[in-house]
PDB file of all heavy atoms in Angstrom:
ATOM      1  N   ILE A 267      44.046 -12.210 -61.350  1.00 76.00           N
ATOM      2  CA  ILE A 267      43.581 -12.479 -59.986  1.00 76.00           C
ATOM      3  C   ILE A 267      42.084 -12.756 -60.033  1.00 76.00           C
ATOM      4  O   ILE A 267      41.302 -11.921 -60.484  1.00 76.00           O
ATOM      5  CB  ILE A 267      43.872 -11.284 -59.056  1.00 76.00           C
ATOM      6  CG1 ILE A 267      45.383 -11.117 -58.864  1.00 76.00           C
ATOM      7  CG2 ILE A 267      43.182 -11.469 -57.706  1.00 76.00           C
ATOM      8  CD1 ILE A 267      45.766  -9.932 -58.003  1.00 76.00           C
ATOM      9  N   GLN A 268      41.698 -13.932 -59.559  1.00 74.00           N
ATOM     10  CA  GLN A 268      40.287 -14.318 -59.541  1.00 74.00           C
ATOM     11  C   GLN A 268      39.643 -14.082 -58.177  1.00 74.00           C
ATOM     12  O   GLN A 268      38.428 -13.946 -58.064  1.00 74.00           O
ATOM     13  CB  GLN A 268      40.155 -15.811 -59.905  1.00 74.00           C
ATOM     14  CG  GLN A 268      40.709 -16.166 -61.285  1.00 74.00           C
ATOM     15  CD  GLN A 268      39.933 -15.506 -62.408  1.00 74.00           C
ATOM     16  OE1 GLN A 268      38.715 -15.416 -62.367  1.00 74.00           O
ATOM     17  NE2 GLN A 268      40.650 -15.033 -63.423  1.00 74.00           N
ATOM     18  N   GLY A 269      40.462 -14.054 -57.130  1.00 74.00           N
ATOM     19  CA  GLY A 269      39.936 -13.928 -55.777  1.00 74.00           C
ATOM     20  C   GLY A 269      39.391 -12.544 -55.480  1.00 74.00           C
ATOM     21  O   GLY A 269      39.807 -11.542 -56.064  1.00 74.00           O
ATOM     22  N   THR A 270      38.469 -12.483 -54.527  1.00 78.00           N
ATOM     23  CA  THR A 270      37.858 -11.223 -54.101  1.00 78.00           C
ATOM     24  C   THR A 270      38.697 -10.600 -53.001  1.00 78.00           C
ATOM     25  O   THR A 270      39.087 -11.277 -52.048  1.00 78.00           O
ATOM     26  CB  THR A 270      36.431 -11.469 -53.578  1.00 78.00           C
ATOM     27  OG1 THR A 270      35.680 -12.128 -54.595  1.00 78.00           O
ATOM     28  CG2 THR A 270      35.757 -10.156 -53.211  1.00 78.00           C
ATOM     29  N   GLY A 271      38.949  -9.295 -53.107  1.00 75.00           N
ATOM     30  CA  GLY A 271      39.731  -8.597 -52.099  1.00 75.00           C
ATOM     31  C   GLY A 271      38.865  -7.990 -51.020  1.00 75.00           C
ATOM     32  O   GLY A 271      37.637  -7.963 -51.120  1.00 75.00           O
ATOM     33  N   PRO A 272      39.488  -7.466 -49.963  1.00 77.00           N
ATOM     34  CA  PRO A 272      38.735  -6.885 -48.841  1.00 77.00           C
ATOM     35  C   PRO A 272      38.116  -5.544 -49.204  1.00 77.00           C
ATOM     36  O   PRO A 272      38.805  -4.639 -49.668  1.00 77.00           O
ATOM     37  CB  PRO A 272      39.799  -6.728 -47.743  1.00 77.00           C
ATOM     38  CG  PRO A 272      41.092  -6.652 -48.476  1.00 77.00           C
ATOM     39  CD  PRO A 272      40.942  -7.467 -49.719  1.00 77.00           C
ATOM     40  N   ARG A 273      36.814  -5.416 -48.978  1.00 76.00           N
ATOM     41  CA  ARG A 273      36.097  -4.179 -49.299  1.00 76.00           C
ATOM     42  C   ARG A 273      36.594  -3.013 -48.455  1.00 76.00           C
ATOM     43  O   ARG A 273      36.675  -1.876 -48.926  1.00 76.00           O
ATOM     44  CB  ARG A 273      34.603  -4.371 -49.054  1.00 76.00           C
ATOM     45  CG  ARG A 273      33.773  -3.140 -49.379  1.00 76.00           C
ATOM     46  CD  ARG A 273      32.355  -3.246 -48.856  1.00 76.00           C
ATOM     47  NE  ARG A 273      31.735  -4.523 -49.151  1.00 76.00           N
ATOM     48  CZ  ARG A 273      30.491  -4.851 -48.792  1.00 76.00           C
ATOM     49  NH1 ARG A 273      29.756  -3.979 -48.120  1.00 76.00           N
ATOM     50  NH2 ARG A 273      29.991  -6.028 -49.072  1.00 76.00           N
ATOM     51  N   TYR A 274      36.933  -3.282 -47.177  1.00 73.00           N
ATOM     52  CA  TYR A 274      37.267  -2.197 -46.265  1.00 73.00           C
ATOM     53  C   TYR A 274      38.755  -1.853 -46.283  1.00 73.00           C
ATOM     54  O   TYR A 274      39.187  -0.965 -45.558  1.00 73.00           O
ATOM     55  CB  TYR A 274      36.819  -2.563 -44.842  1.00 73.00           C
ATOM     56  CG  TYR A 274      35.332  -2.800 -44.775  1.00 73.00           C
ATOM     57  CD1 TYR A 274      34.819  -4.098 -44.749  1.00 73.00           C
ATOM     58  CD2 TYR A 274      34.445  -1.742 -44.793  1.00 73.00           C
ATOM     59  CE1 TYR A 274      33.446  -4.320 -44.714  1.00 73.00           C
ATOM     60  CE2 TYR A 274      33.065  -1.955 -44.755  1.00 73.00           C
ATOM     61  CZ  TYR A 274      32.579  -3.238 -44.710  1.00 73.00           C
ATOM     62  OH  TYR A 274      31.222  -3.454 -44.689  1.00 73.00           O
ATOM     63  N   CYS A 275      39.535  -2.550 -47.083  1.00 79.00           N
ATOM     64  CA  CYS A 275      40.958  -2.244 -47.216  1.00 79.00           C
ATOM     65  C   CYS A 275      41.383  -2.546 -48.651  1.00 79.00           C
ATOM     66  O   CYS A 275      42.218  -3.418 -48.893  1.00 79.00           O
ATOM     67  CB  CYS A 275      41.775  -3.063 -46.220  1.00 79.00           C
ATOM     68  SG  CYS A 275      43.504  -2.597 -46.142  1.00 79.00           S
ATOM     69  N   PRO A 276      40.794  -1.842 -49.632  1.00 85.00           N
ATOM     70  CA  PRO A 276      41.067  -2.171 -51.031  1.00 85.00           C
ATOM     71  C   PRO A 276      42.453  -1.716 -51.466  1.00 85.00           C
ATOM     72  O   PRO A 276      43.075  -0.851 -50.835  1.00 85.00           O
ATOM     73  CB  PRO A 276      39.977  -1.400 -51.781  1.00 85.00           C
ATOM     74  CG  PRO A 276      39.673  -0.236 -50.893  1.00 85.00           C
ATOM     75  CD  PRO A 276      39.839  -0.743 -49.483  1.00 85.00           C
ATOM     76  N   SER A 277      42.931  -2.289 -52.571  1.00 88.00           N
ATOM     77  CA  SER A 277      44.196  -1.848 -53.148  1.00 88.00           C
ATOM     78  C   SER A 277      44.033  -0.427 -53.678  1.00 88.00           C
ATOM     79  O   SER A 277      42.914   0.041 -53.931  1.00 88.00           O
ATOM     80  CB  SER A 277      44.614  -2.785 -54.275  1.00 88.00           C
ATOM     81  OG  SER A 277      43.688  -2.691 -55.348  1.00 88.00           O
ATOM     82  N   ILE A 278      45.146   0.259 -53.902  1.00 91.00           N
ATOM     83  CA  ILE A 278      45.056   1.630 -54.391  1.00 91.00           C
ATOM     84  C   ILE A 278      44.479   1.671 -55.799  1.00 91.00           C
ATOM     85  O   ILE A 278      43.708   2.579 -56.131  1.00 91.00           O
ATOM     86  CB  ILE A 278      46.437   2.337 -54.316  1.00 91.00           C
ATOM     87  CG1 ILE A 278      46.300   3.819 -54.659  1.00 91.00           C
ATOM     88  CG2 ILE A 278      47.455   1.645 -55.197  1.00 91.00           C
ATOM     89  CD1 ILE A 278      45.393   4.598 -53.721  1.00 91.00           C
ATOM     90  N   GLU A 279      44.783   0.664 -56.626  1.00 89.00           N
ATOM     91  CA  GLU A 279      44.203   0.673 -57.965  1.00 89.00           C
ATOM     92  C   GLU A 279      42.683   0.460 -57.919  1.00 89.00           C
ATOM     93  O   GLU A 279      41.930   1.032 -58.715  1.00 89.00           O
ATOM     94  CB  GLU A 279      44.877  -0.348 -58.881  1.00 89.00           C
ATOM     95  CG  GLU A 279      45.011  -1.754 -58.359  1.00 89.00           C
ATOM     96  CD  GLU A 279      46.355  -2.018 -57.715  1.00 89.00           C
ATOM     97  OE1 GLU A 279      46.811  -1.174 -56.915  1.00 89.00           O
ATOM     98  OE2 GLU A 279      46.936  -3.088 -57.982  1.00 89.00           O
ATOM     99  N   ASP A 280      42.238  -0.339 -56.949  1.00 86.00           N
ATOM    100  CA  ASP A 280      40.800  -0.543 -56.773  1.00 86.00           C
ATOM    101  C   ASP A 280      40.134   0.744 -56.277  1.00 86.00           C
ATOM    102  O   ASP A 280      39.034   1.101 -56.701  1.00 86.00           O
ATOM    103  CB  ASP A 280      40.555  -1.688 -55.792  1.00 86.00           C
ATOM    104  CG  ASP A 280      39.161  -2.278 -55.914  1.00 86.00           C
ATOM    105  OD1 ASP A 280      38.549  -2.122 -56.983  1.00 86.00           O
ATOM    106  OD2 ASP A 280      38.682  -2.876 -54.944  1.00 86.00           O
ATOM    107  N   LYS A 281      40.803   1.462 -55.360  1.00 90.00           N
ATOM    108  CA  LYS A 281      40.263   2.732 -54.870  1.00 90.00           C
ATOM    109  C   LYS A 281      40.083   3.730 -56.018  1.00 90.00           C
ATOM    110  O   LYS A 281      39.055   4.411 -56.115  1.00 90.00           O
ATOM    111  CB  LYS A 281      41.204   3.341 -53.827  1.00 90.00           C
ATOM    112  CG  LYS A 281      41.201   2.690 -52.469  1.00 90.00           C
ATOM    113  CD  LYS A 281      42.149   3.448 -51.559  1.00 90.00           C
ATOM    114  CE  LYS A 281      42.287   2.779 -50.206  1.00 90.00           C
ATOM    115  NZ  LYS A 281      43.238   3.493 -49.324  1.00 90.00           N
ATOM    116  N   ILE A 282      41.112   3.833 -56.868  1.00 87.00           N
ATOM    117  CA  ILE A 282      41.057   4.797 -57.973  1.00 87.00           C
ATOM    118  C   ILE A 282      39.915   4.438 -58.923  1.00 87.00           C
ATOM    119  O   ILE A 282      39.209   5.310 -59.444  1.00 87.00           O
ATOM    120  CB  ILE A 282      42.395   4.816 -58.736  1.00 87.00           C
ATOM    121  CG1 ILE A 282      43.547   5.182 -57.807  1.00 87.00           C
ATOM    122  CG2 ILE A 282      42.332   5.774 -59.915  1.00 87.00           C
ATOM    123  CD1 ILE A 282      43.341   6.429 -56.999  1.00 87.00           C
ATOM    124  N   HIS A 283      39.698   3.130 -59.118  1.00 83.00           N
ATOM    125  CA  HIS A 283      38.648   2.676 -60.019  1.00 83.00           C
ATOM    126  C   HIS A 283      37.258   2.905 -59.420  1.00 83.00           C
ATOM    127  O   HIS A 283      36.345   3.381 -60.104  1.00 83.00           O
ATOM    128  CB  HIS A 283      38.854   1.191 -60.341  1.00 83.00           C
ATOM    129  CG  HIS A 283      37.801   0.607 -61.227  1.00 83.00           C
ATOM    130  ND1 HIS A 283      37.696   0.915 -62.561  1.00 83.00           N
ATOM    131  CD2 HIS A 283      36.792  -0.264 -60.959  1.00 83.00           C
ATOM    132  CE1 HIS A 283      36.677   0.257 -63.081  1.00 83.00           C
ATOM    133  NE2 HIS A 283      36.115  -0.467 -62.124  1.00 83.00           N
ATOM    134  N   ARG A 284      37.100   2.585 -58.134  1.00 83.00           N
ATOM    135  CA  ARG A 284      35.788   2.649 -57.491  1.00 83.00           C
ATOM    136  C   ARG A 284      35.402   4.057 -57.057  1.00 83.00           C
ATOM    137  O   ARG A 284      34.227   4.394 -56.996  1.00 83.00           O
ATOM    138  CB  ARG A 284      35.761   1.715 -56.281  1.00 83.00           C
ATOM    139  CG  ARG A 284      35.706   0.238 -56.643  1.00 83.00           C
ATOM    140  CD  ARG A 284      36.030  -0.658 -55.455  1.00 83.00           C
ATOM    141  NE  ARG A 284      35.212  -0.356 -54.283  1.00 83.00           N
ATOM    142  CZ  ARG A 284      35.426  -0.880 -53.087  1.00 83.00           C
ATOM    143  NH1 ARG A 284      36.438  -1.717 -52.909  1.00 83.00           N
ATOM    144  NH2 ARG A 284      34.649  -0.579 -52.079  1.00 83.00           N
ATOM    145  N   PHE A 285      36.389   4.870 -56.723  1.00 82.00           N
ATOM    146  CA  PHE A 285      36.112   6.215 -56.218  1.00 82.00           C
ATOM    147  C   PHE A 285      36.775   7.240 -57.136  1.00 82.00           C
ATOM    148  O   PHE A 285      37.633   8.021 -56.713  1.00 82.00           O
ATOM    149  CB  PHE A 285      36.615   6.368 -54.779  1.00 82.00           C
ATOM    150  CG  PHE A 285      36.125   5.286 -53.860  1.00 82.00           C
ATOM    151  CD1 PHE A 285      36.994   4.306 -53.384  1.00 82.00           C
ATOM    152  CD2 PHE A 285      34.796   5.222 -53.474  1.00 82.00           C
ATOM    153  CE1 PHE A 285      36.552   3.304 -52.546  1.00 82.00           C
ATOM    154  CE2 PHE A 285      34.348   4.218 -52.622  1.00 82.00           C
ATOM    155  CZ  PHE A 285      35.221   3.247 -52.158  1.00 82.00           C
ATOM    156  N   GLY A 286      36.351   7.222 -58.397  1.00 78.00           N
ATOM    157  CA  GLY A 286      36.962   8.069 -59.413  1.00 78.00           C
ATOM    158  C   GLY A 286      36.791   9.554 -59.178  1.00 78.00           C
ATOM    159  O   GLY A 286      37.538  10.361 -59.737  1.00 78.00           O
ATOM    160  N   ASP A 287      35.827   9.931 -58.340  1.00 82.00           N
ATOM    161  CA  ASP A 287      35.593  11.353 -58.098  1.00 82.00           C
ATOM    162  C   ASP A 287      36.507  11.921 -57.020  1.00 82.00           C
ATOM    163  O   ASP A 287      36.559  13.141 -56.835  1.00 82.00           O
ATOM    164  CB  ASP A 287      34.136  11.565 -57.688  1.00 82.00           C
ATOM    165  CG  ASP A 287      33.761  10.765 -56.448  1.00 82.00           C
ATOM    166  OD1 ASP A 287      34.330   9.660 -56.251  1.00 82.00           O
ATOM    167  OD2 ASP A 287      32.904  11.225 -55.667  1.00 82.00           O
ATOM    168  N   ARG A 288      37.223  11.060 -56.315  1.00 86.00           N
ATOM    169  CA  ARG A 288      38.103  11.539 -55.241  1.00 86.00           C
ATOM    170  C   ARG A 288      39.386  12.120 -55.816  1.00 86.00           C
ATOM    171  O   ARG A 288      39.996  11.530 -56.713  1.00 86.00           O
ATOM    172  CB  ARG A 288      38.429  10.388 -54.287  1.00 86.00           C
ATOM    173  CG  ARG A 288      37.243   9.816 -53.528  1.00 86.00           C
ATOM    174  CD  ARG A 288      36.897  10.661 -52.322  1.00 86.00           C
ATOM    175  NE  ARG A 288      37.977  10.696 -51.357  1.00 86.00           N
ATOM    176  CZ  ARG A 288      38.166   9.774 -50.410  1.00 86.00           C
ATOM    177  NH1 ARG A 288      37.336   8.741 -50.314  1.00 86.00           N
ATOM    178  NH2 ARG A 288      39.161   9.881 -49.555  1.00 86.00           N
ATOM    179  N   ASP A 289      39.833  13.263 -55.276  1.00 87.00           N
ATOM    180  CA  ASP A 289      41.073  13.859 -55.776  1.00 87.00           C
ATOM    181  C   ASP A 289      42.290  13.397 -54.989  1.00 87.00           C
ATOM    182  O   ASP A 289      43.425  13.765 -55.310  1.00 87.00           O
ATOM    183  CB  ASP A 289      40.983  15.389 -55.747  1.00 87.00           C
ATOM    184  CG  ASP A 289      40.746  15.933 -54.337  1.00 87.00           C
ATOM    185  OD1 ASP A 289      40.644  15.131 -53.386  1.00 87.00           O
ATOM    186  OD2 ASP A 289      40.664  17.167 -54.194  1.00 87.00           O
ATOM    187  N   GLY A 290      42.076  12.584 -53.958  1.00 92.00           N
ATOM    188  CA  GLY A 290      43.205  12.074 -53.184  1.00 92.00           C
ATOM    189  C   GLY A 290      42.748  11.124 -52.099  1.00 92.00           C
ATOM    190  O   GLY A 290      41.588  11.137 -51.678  1.00 92.00           O
ATOM    191  N   HIS A 291      43.672  10.273 -51.653  1.00 94.00           N
ATOM    192  CA  HIS A 291      43.408   9.328 -50.561  1.00 94.00           C
ATOM    193  C   HIS A 291      44.531   9.452 -49.542  1.00 94.00           C
ATOM    194  O   HIS A 291      45.714   9.557 -49.908  1.00 94.00           O
ATOM    195  CB  HIS A 291      43.350   7.892 -51.087  1.00 94.00           C
ATOM    196  CG  HIS A 291      42.243   7.653 -52.065  1.00 94.00           C
ATOM    197  ND1 HIS A 291      40.978   7.290 -51.683  1.00 94.00           N
ATOM    198  CD2 HIS A 291      42.214   7.746 -53.418  1.00 94.00           C
ATOM    199  CE1 HIS A 291      40.207   7.153 -52.758  1.00 94.00           C
ATOM    200  NE2 HIS A 291      40.939   7.425 -53.819  1.00 94.00           N
ATOM    201  N   GLN A 292      44.175   9.436 -48.257  1.00 95.00           N
ATOM    202  CA  GLN A 292      45.197   9.541 -47.214  1.00 95.00           C
ATOM    203  C   GLN A 292      46.113   8.324 -47.210  1.00 95.00           C
ATOM    204  O   GLN A 292      45.666   7.193 -47.442  1.00 95.00           O
ATOM    205  CB  GLN A 292      44.545   9.678 -45.842  1.00 95.00           C
ATOM    206  CG  GLN A 292      44.109  11.088 -45.502  1.00 95.00           C
ATOM    207  CD  GLN A 292      43.767  11.228 -44.031  1.00 95.00           C
ATOM    208  OE1 GLN A 292      43.299  10.288 -43.391  1.00 95.00           O
ATOM    209  NE2 GLN A 292      43.991  12.410 -43.492  1.00 95.00           N
ATOM    210  N   VAL A 293      47.374   8.572 -46.939  1.00 96.00           N
ATOM    211  CA  VAL A 293      48.362   7.510 -46.796  1.00 96.00           C
ATOM    212  C   VAL A 293      49.091   7.749 -45.477  1.00 96.00           C
ATOM    213  O   VAL A 293      49.644   8.835 -45.248  1.00 96.00           O
ATOM    214  CB  VAL A 293      49.377   7.510 -47.963  1.00 96.00           C
ATOM    215  CG1 VAL A 293      50.404   6.400 -47.776  1.00 96.00           C
ATOM    216  CG2 VAL A 293      48.654   7.360 -49.298  1.00 96.00           C
ATOM    217  N   PHE A 294      49.067   6.761 -44.583  1.00 96.00           N
ATOM    218  CA  PHE A 294      49.707   6.876 -43.274  1.00 96.00           C
ATOM    219  C   PHE A 294      51.084   6.216 -43.344  1.00 96.00           C
ATOM    220  O   PHE A 294      51.196   5.035 -43.683  1.00 96.00           O
ATOM    221  CB  PHE A 294      48.847   6.205 -42.202  1.00 96.00           C
ATOM    222  CG  PHE A 294      47.520   6.871 -42.004  1.00 96.00           C
ATOM    223  CD1 PHE A 294      46.416   6.503 -42.764  1.00 96.00           C
ATOM    224  CD2 PHE A 294      47.365   7.897 -41.082  1.00 96.00           C
ATOM    225  CE1 PHE A 294      45.193   7.128 -42.604  1.00 96.00           C
ATOM    226  CE2 PHE A 294      46.139   8.528 -40.910  1.00 96.00           C
ATOM    227  CZ  PHE A 294      45.052   8.142 -41.673  1.00 96.00           C
ATOM    228  N   LEU A 295      52.103   6.979 -43.025  1.00 97.00           N
ATOM    229  CA  LEU A 295      53.477   6.487 -43.068  1.00 97.00           C
ATOM    230  C   LEU A 295      53.854   5.987 -41.683  1.00 97.00           C
ATOM    231  O   LEU A 295      54.014   6.775 -40.741  1.00 97.00           O
ATOM    232  CB  LEU A 295      54.418   7.597 -43.529  1.00 97.00           C
ATOM    233  CG  LEU A 295      54.087   8.189 -44.912  1.00 97.00           C
ATOM    234  CD1 LEU A 295      54.997   9.365 -45.219  1.00 97.00           C
ATOM    235  CD2 LEU A 295      54.182   7.125 -45.995  1.00 97.00           C
ATOM    236  N   GLU A 296      53.976   4.668 -41.557  1.00 97.00           N
ATOM    237  CA  GLU A 296      54.119   4.029 -40.246  1.00 97.00           C
ATOM    238  C   GLU A 296      55.478   3.343 -40.123  1.00 97.00           C
ATOM    239  O   GLU A 296      55.823   2.478 -40.935  1.00 97.00           O
ATOM    240  CB  GLU A 296      52.990   3.009 -40.062  1.00 97.00           C
ATOM    241  CG  GLU A 296      51.613   3.655 -40.154  1.00 97.00           C
ATOM    242  CD  GLU A 296      50.464   2.668 -40.196  1.00 97.00           C
ATOM    243  OE1 GLU A 296      50.705   1.462 -40.490  1.00 97.00           O
ATOM    244  OE2 GLU A 296      49.322   3.084 -39.938  1.00 97.00           O
ATOM    245  N   PRO A 297      56.273   3.709 -39.106  1.00 97.00           N
ATOM    246  CA  PRO A 297      57.579   3.067 -38.899  1.00 97.00           C
ATOM    247  C   PRO A 297      57.420   1.577 -38.584  1.00 97.00           C
ATOM    248  O   PRO A 297      56.485   1.174 -37.890  1.00 97.00           O
ATOM    249  CB  PRO A 297      58.159   3.813 -37.704  1.00 97.00           C
ATOM    250  CG  PRO A 297      57.365   5.074 -37.587  1.00 97.00           C
ATOM    251  CD  PRO A 297      56.011   4.755 -38.112  1.00 97.00           C
ATOM    252  N   GLU A 298      58.355   0.771 -39.084  1.00 96.00           N
ATOM    253  CA  GLU A 298      58.298  -0.673 -38.840  1.00 96.00           C
ATOM    254  C   GLU A 298      59.154  -1.106 -37.657  1.00 96.00           C
ATOM    255  O   GLU A 298      59.102  -2.283 -37.273  1.00 96.00           O
ATOM    256  CB  GLU A 298      58.721  -1.423 -40.100  1.00 96.00           C
ATOM    257  CG  GLU A 298      57.784  -1.183 -41.272  1.00 96.00           C
ATOM    258  CD  GLU A 298      57.648  -2.390 -42.176  1.00 96.00           C
ATOM    259  OE1 GLU A 298      58.467  -3.319 -42.069  1.00 96.00           O
ATOM    260  OE2 GLU A 298      56.703  -2.419 -42.976  1.00 96.00           O
ATOM    261  N   GLY A 299      59.937  -0.187 -37.084  1.00 96.00           N
ATOM    262  CA  GLY A 299      60.745  -0.571 -35.938  1.00 96.00           C
ATOM    263  C   GLY A 299      61.594   0.574 -35.429  1.00 96.00           C
ATOM    264  O   GLY A 299      61.779   1.588 -36.105  1.00 96.00           O
ATOM    265  N   LEU A 300      62.114   0.410 -34.203  1.00 97.00           N
ATOM    266  CA  LEU A 300      62.947   1.442 -33.591  1.00 97.00           C
ATOM    267  C   LEU A 300      64.293   1.575 -34.296  1.00 97.00           C
ATOM    268  O   LEU A 300      64.825   2.679 -34.421  1.00 97.00           O
ATOM    269  CB  LEU A 300      63.160   1.116 -32.103  1.00 97.00           C
ATOM    270  CG  LEU A 300      61.917   1.207 -31.215  1.00 97.00           C
ATOM    271  CD1 LEU A 300      62.212   0.646 -29.828  1.00 97.00           C
ATOM    272  CD2 LEU A 300      61.431   2.649 -31.109  1.00 97.00           C
ATOM    273  N   ASP A 301      64.859   0.443 -34.724  1.00 94.00           N
ATOM    274  CA  ASP A 301      66.161   0.467 -35.389  1.00 94.00           C
ATOM    275  C   ASP A 301      66.057  -0.038 -36.824  1.00 94.00           C
ATOM    276  O   ASP A 301      66.990  -0.630 -37.357  1.00 94.00           O
ATOM    277  CB  ASP A 301      67.180  -0.367 -34.600  1.00 94.00           C
ATOM    278  CG  ASP A 301      66.726  -1.818 -34.412  1.00 94.00           C
ATOM    279  OD1 ASP A 301      65.594  -2.141 -34.827  1.00 94.00           O
ATOM    280  OD2 ASP A 301      67.499  -2.616 -33.862  1.00 94.00           O
ATOM    281  N   ASP A 302      64.909   0.191 -37.434  1.00 95.00           N
ATOM    282  CA  ASP A 302      64.649  -0.259 -38.800  1.00 95.00           C
ATOM    283  C   ASP A 302      64.188   0.951 -39.615  1.00 95.00           C
ATOM    284  O   ASP A 302      63.211   1.604 -39.256  1.00 95.00           O
ATOM    285  CB  ASP A 302      63.554  -1.334 -38.786  1.00 95.00           C
ATOM    286  CG  ASP A 302      63.365  -2.024 -40.133  1.00 95.00           C
ATOM    287  OD1 ASP A 302      63.731  -1.414 -41.163  1.00 95.00           O
ATOM    288  OD2 ASP A 302      62.809  -3.134 -40.167  1.00 95.00           O
ATOM    289  N   PRO A 303      64.870   1.270 -40.716  1.00 96.00           N
ATOM    290  CA  PRO A 303      64.466   2.450 -41.497  1.00 96.00           C
ATOM    291  C   PRO A 303      63.219   2.229 -42.353  1.00 96.00           C
ATOM    292  O   PRO A 303      62.720   3.167 -42.969  1.00 96.00           O
ATOM    293  CB  PRO A 303      65.691   2.711 -42.377  1.00 96.00           C
ATOM    294  CG  PRO A 303      66.306   1.356 -42.566  1.00 96.00           C
ATOM    295  CD  PRO A 303      66.089   0.636 -41.263  1.00 96.00           C
ATOM    296  N   LEU A 304      62.683   0.999 -42.410  1.00 97.00           N
ATOM    297  CA  LEU A 304      61.551   0.726 -43.283  1.00 97.00           C
ATOM    298  C   LEU A 304      60.291   1.451 -42.797  1.00 97.00           C
ATOM    299  O   LEU A 304      60.007   1.504 -41.596  1.00 97.00           O
ATOM    300  CB  LEU A 304      61.273  -0.769 -43.367  1.00 97.00           C
ATOM    301  CG  LEU A 304      62.274  -1.633 -44.129  1.00 97.00           C
ATOM    302  CD1 LEU A 304      61.746  -3.049 -44.281  1.00 97.00           C
ATOM    303  CD2 LEU A 304      62.580  -1.053 -45.501  1.00 97.00           C
ATOM    304  N   ILE A 305      59.536   1.953 -43.758  1.00 97.00           N
ATOM    305  CA  ILE A 305      58.276   2.645 -43.494  1.00 97.00           C
ATOM    306  C   ILE A 305      57.173   1.932 -44.266  1.00 97.00           C
ATOM    307  O   ILE A 305      57.326   1.619 -45.454  1.00 97.00           O
ATOM    308  CB  ILE A 305      58.345   4.120 -43.921  1.00 97.00           C
ATOM    309  CG1 ILE A 305      59.437   4.852 -43.140  1.00 97.00           C
ATOM    310  CG2 ILE A 305      56.994   4.804 -43.743  1.00 97.00           C
ATOM    311  CD1 ILE A 305      59.212   4.920 -41.642  1.00 97.00           C
ATOM    312  N   TYR A 306      56.056   1.691 -43.591  1.00 97.00           N
ATOM    313  CA  TYR A 306      54.896   1.050 -44.182  1.00 97.00           C
ATOM    314  C   TYR A 306      53.901   2.134 -44.592  1.00 97.00           C
ATOM    315  O   TYR A 306      53.316   2.791 -43.726  1.00 97.00           O
ATOM    316  CB  TYR A 306      54.278   0.097 -43.161  1.00 97.00           C
ATOM    317  CG  TYR A 306      53.086  -0.697 -43.650  1.00 97.00           C
ATOM    318  CD1 TYR A 306      53.250  -1.995 -44.115  1.00 97.00           C
ATOM    319  CD2 TYR A 306      51.804  -0.171 -43.604  1.00 97.00           C
ATOM    320  CE1 TYR A 306      52.155  -2.747 -44.536  1.00 97.00           C
ATOM    321  CE2 TYR A 306      50.708  -0.907 -44.027  1.00 97.00           C
ATOM    322  CZ  TYR A 306      50.895  -2.188 -44.485  1.00 97.00           C
ATOM    323  OH  TYR A 306      49.809  -2.920 -44.911  1.00 97.00           O
TER     324      TYR A 306
END
Side-chain angles (χ1 to χ4, degrees):
I267 293 178
Q268 300 295 320
T270 304
R273 181 192 313 180
Y274 300 101
C275 188
S277 66
I278 187 61
E279 50 265 46
D280 200 23
K281 286 182 185 178
I282 301 309
H283 178 71
R284 287 166 53 189
F285 308 109
D287 58 328
R288 296 279 297 275
D289 60 0
H291 297 272
Q292 278 193 328
V293 179
F294 296 88
L295 302 175
E296 301 171 342
E298 297 213 346
L300 292 171
D301 57 356
D302 189 337
L304 289 188
I305 299 297
Y306 183 97

